[in-house]
Amino acid sequence: MAMIRGFGKGTTLLSNNAALLSRLQPVVTQMSLTSTKAETQDIAYKEMEEFWEKNRRLNRPLSPHLRIYNPELTSMLSLCHRATGIAMAVTVPVVAATLLGLPGDFPSYIQYIKDLQLNPLLFTAAKYVLAFPVCYHYINGIRHLAWDWAIGFSLKATYQSGYFVLALALLVSAAFVHLL
């Protein structure tokens, strides 16, 4: 009440706080210091059920679905950065453990692949599949480090750096594939 008297009547802050306090009042009165964990969980479960029942009654969607959004460059680059990071985090240890467990040494496996006499286009495509995620994730990681320093946050700079990351990742991947 002291807060209400201190702000005076009719202020926006007072009406917002009063509305908030009126919504919190039932929760505060239901949960006392002597409430047990089970009672608190029962109250929380009841409130959750009321929330979902209201959403069902109003025919609200469960959550915003990806199909309602237009794919933007920024969101696709973010998705690719996460996907390449996860793919490398899984693939590199699995391949390393497999190579450690297999008999023979690395040069013998390289010779085995050469003996398969694969189509050069297939071999080049496989090199791109291995090189691009690493190059893209590394270069986009540098872009994220620039963001950590608050550089390049404007919409124009974000799109420019996004296109630059894609182009540079393709160029570096091509250099790795064709020059190494």
Side-chain angles (χ1 to χ4, degrees):
M1 279 309 217
M3 183 170 69
I4 293 174
R5 277 185 248 128
F7 288 118
K9 293 184 180 180
T11 65
T12 304
L13 187 58
L14 171 65
S15 62
N16 288 345
N17 283 337
L20 179 62
L21 289 174
S22 68
R23 284 186 293 192
L24 291 177
Q25 188 62 34
V27 175
V28 172
T29 56
Q30 287 176 356
M31 296 171 58
S32 67
L33 293 176
T34 60
S35 294
T36 65
K37 183 177 179 181
E39 290 171 345
T40 306
Q41 287 175 342
D42 289 342
I43 293 168
Y45 183 78
K46 180 183 171 192
E47 289 175 357
M48 181 184 67
E49 282 298 316
E50 290 171 1
F51 171 79
W52 288 114
E53 180 56 39
K54 178 182 175 185
N55 284 342
R56 282 190 287 272
R57 189 176 62 248
L58 295 174
N59 200 22
R60 291 179 175 162
L62 183 59
S63 65
H65 299 285
L66 289 176
R67 65 177 177 250
I68 69 170
Y69 298 109
N70 290 329
E72 299 283 338
L73 176 70
T74 52
S75 62
M76 292 298 105
L77 291 178
S78 175
L79 179 70
C80 288
H81 187 75
R82 293 166 193 247
T84 56
I86 291 169
M88 288 187 300
V90 171
T91 304
V92 170
V94 168
V95 169
T98 303
L99 288 175
L100 282 173
L102 290 175
D105 56 352
F106 188 71
S108 65
Y109 291 112
I110 296 295
Q111 187 59 44
Y112 175 74
I113 291 171
K114 287 180 181 178
D115 290 342
L116 291 175
Q117 297 179 352
L118 297 173
N119 184 344
L121 291 177
L122 182 65
F123 195 63
T124 302
K127 285 182 176 181
Y128 270 107
V129 166
L130 294 173
F132 182 76
V134 174
C135 294
Y136 171 77
H137 193 81
Y138 182 78
I139 295 167
N140 201 44
I142 294 171
R143 179 179 177 223
H144 279 268
L145 286 175
W147 288 348
D148 289 343
W149 293 327
I151 299 171
F153 270 121
S154 71
L155 188 61
K156 183 179 178 182
T158 303
Y159 273 85
Q160 286 175 340
S161 65
Y163 286 121
F164 179 75
V165 163
L166 281 176
L168 189 59
L170 284 171
L171 286 173
V172 172
S173 297
F176 280 145
V177 167
H178 296 291
L179 298 177
L180 295 179

